[in-house]
Amino acid sequence: MFPSSSPEIGREPWADDPPPAGGAAPSTGPTVENDEARRSGGPRRLRRGGSARRSDEALDGDDEEETEPPVEVSRQLSLAIAGFAALLGLGLVLGAHTSGPDHRLPFTFVVLTVQMLFLLGWTMVTRPPALPVVLGVGALSALAADAVAVRSSEARLGPLLYIAIGAVLATVLGQLVRRVDRVRVTDSLRTTATIMFGTVAFATLIVLSRIPAGTQAIVVCLTAGAVTVAVARATDAFAAWPRLAPQVPRGAAGVVGGAMVGTLVGAVLGSYLVTPFTPTRAAILGLVAAGVAVLADLAVSYAEAGRLMAGEQPTVWAARHVQGPLGALAMVAPAAYLMCRLLL
């Protein structure tokens, strides 16, 4: 059957005409969308960047993420790291006193042991590409740096710098051999350079022991650095507050307090050492060593938190937690050499 009314009935004669150039076609009656927009106070406006305002559910989700509780600080672990830092500094300081003009082998053996600990610890934690190449080149660079530091005619830092640069270049070339490792070379370049320079940096202590006031500088700087890390970690075990970041189990009280105690220890040692040491000069050396040590240890903590947030699986427990003190004293060694040359 045909409809009783024609579909053309009730339509305006201008409905089929195109809309005017200056705007949209006039509406013939109220629509549901307009009524809903009027009741809701108008349409939802866009931000300047073009994105709509977030809904209440999204804001609630952001609030939940911002109020995520911080990671827990392990008291036993912090105390264990503090004890390791103290033992590491004590071993290097005592080893420096065994060094003499024709008797440098015991101290060289101590430095080589610490270099191997640094190489193994940092390599196992960071996992750079071509791991056997990194370990092999790192071990050879440690042996070469120690031999040059003992047998060179002048106690200089330049040859050690050349060895470290050559080790980085050799490692990168070894990583370019395999396609699997080649893809990650650019991303791991900073890690590779840190491992090689840190391994060679401990040989600076052998060079420093050959300078007249070098052994005393080793005592002041390494003691201040080790005490700084130990006090900072021990403070975190009992009062990790205020937290530097929710994901990092470190507190500002330990960082600042450790640096202050390390500087004080340097000044106290300077009052007992002979000329050219004075309490003021020793305090300056202790301040520099404490600052370098606490910043290096803190950087390791931030790097560990970043790896965990990125979803990487934790590596060997011991290697992860000795990485901070080893990195701190590795950075203190060249700083002690430079301060000895500048102030003493």
Side-chain angles (χ1 to χ4, degrees), residues 147-222:
V148 170
V150 172
R151 304 183 62 86
S152 60
S153 58
E154 297 181 5
R156 294 183 301 139
L157 202 61
L160 301 184
L161 181 61
Y162 298 147
I163 292 175
I165 295 175
V168 173
L169 295 178
T171 305
V172 171
L173 291 177
Q175 293 172 343
L176 291 175
V177 174
R178 297 176 57 192
R179 178 177 298 179
V180 178
D181 301 327
R182 193 183 309 151
V183 178
R184 300 173 52 200
V185 168
T186 304
D187 297 335
S188 64
L189 181 59
R190 182 176 59 181
T191 300
T192 302
T194 302
I195 293 174
M196 296 304 159
F197 275 90
T199 303
V200 176
F202 281 105
T204 309
L205 299 175
I206 302 175
V207 178
L208 193 56
S209 65
R210 299 176 56 185
I211 302 174
T215 302
Q216 296 175 339
I218 291 175
V219 172
V220 173
C221 292
L222 288 187

Side-chain angles (χ1 to χ4, degrees), residues 33-248:
E33 290 82 5
N34 291 338
D35 292 340
E36 291 178 356
R38 189 177 297 109
R39 286 195 299 268
S40 61
R44 191 179 297 273
R45 293 181 295 176
L46 298 179
R47 291 186 176 182
R48 183 173 298 178
S51 60
R53 295 182 180 273
R54 291 175 294 178
S55 61
D56 296 339
E57 292 80 2
L59 293 176
D60 294 340
D62 293 344
D63 293 340
E64 292 178 359
E65 292 179 359
E66 292 178 358
T67 60
E68 182 180 356
V71 297
E72 185 180 358
V73 180
S74 176
R75 178 174 299 180
Q76 292 80 5
L77 179 60
S78 298
L79 293 177
I81 297 174
F84 176 78
L87 291 176
L88 181 63
L90 180 63
L92 289 173
V93 169
L94 293 179
H97 283 86
T98 63
S99 179
D102 297 324
H103 192 66
R104 305 190 188 277
L105 186 59
F107 187 43
T108 304
F109 179 75
V110 172
V111 171
L112 182 61
T113 303
V114 177
Q115 286 174 313
M116 294 298 105
L117 285 176
F118 179 90
L119 178 63
L120 290 175
W122 277 70
T123 304
M124 294 173 66
V125 171
T126 57
R127 293 289 180 179
L131 194 60
V133 175
V134 176
L135 290 174
V137 174
L140 292 177
S141 63
L143 293 173
D146 294 344
V148 170
V150 172
R151 304 183 62 86
S152 60
S153 58
E154 297 181 5
R156 294 183 301 139
L157 202 61
L160 301 184
L161 181 61
Y162 298 147
I163 292 175
I165 295 175
V168 173
L169 295 178
T171 305
V172 171
L173 291 177
Q175 293 172 343
L176 291 175
V177 174
R178 297 176 57 192
R179 178 177 298 179
V180 178
D181 301 327
R182 193 183 309 151
V183 178
R184 300 173 52 200
V185 168
T186 304
D187 297 335
S188 64
L189 181 59
R190 182 176 59 181
T191 300
T192 302
T194 302
I195 293 174
M196 296 304 159
F197 275 90
T199 303
V200 176
F202 281 105
T204 309
L205 299 175
I206 302 175
V207 178
L208 193 56
S209 65
R210 299 176 56 185
I211 302 174
T215 302
Q216 296 175 339
I218 291 175
V219 172
V220 173
C221 292
L222 288 187
T223 303
V227 168
T228 297
V229 176
V231 171
R233 292 287 189 167
T235 304
D236 291 337
F238 298 97
W241 182 90
R243 293 292 290 270
L244 297 176
Q247 298 82 12
V248 181

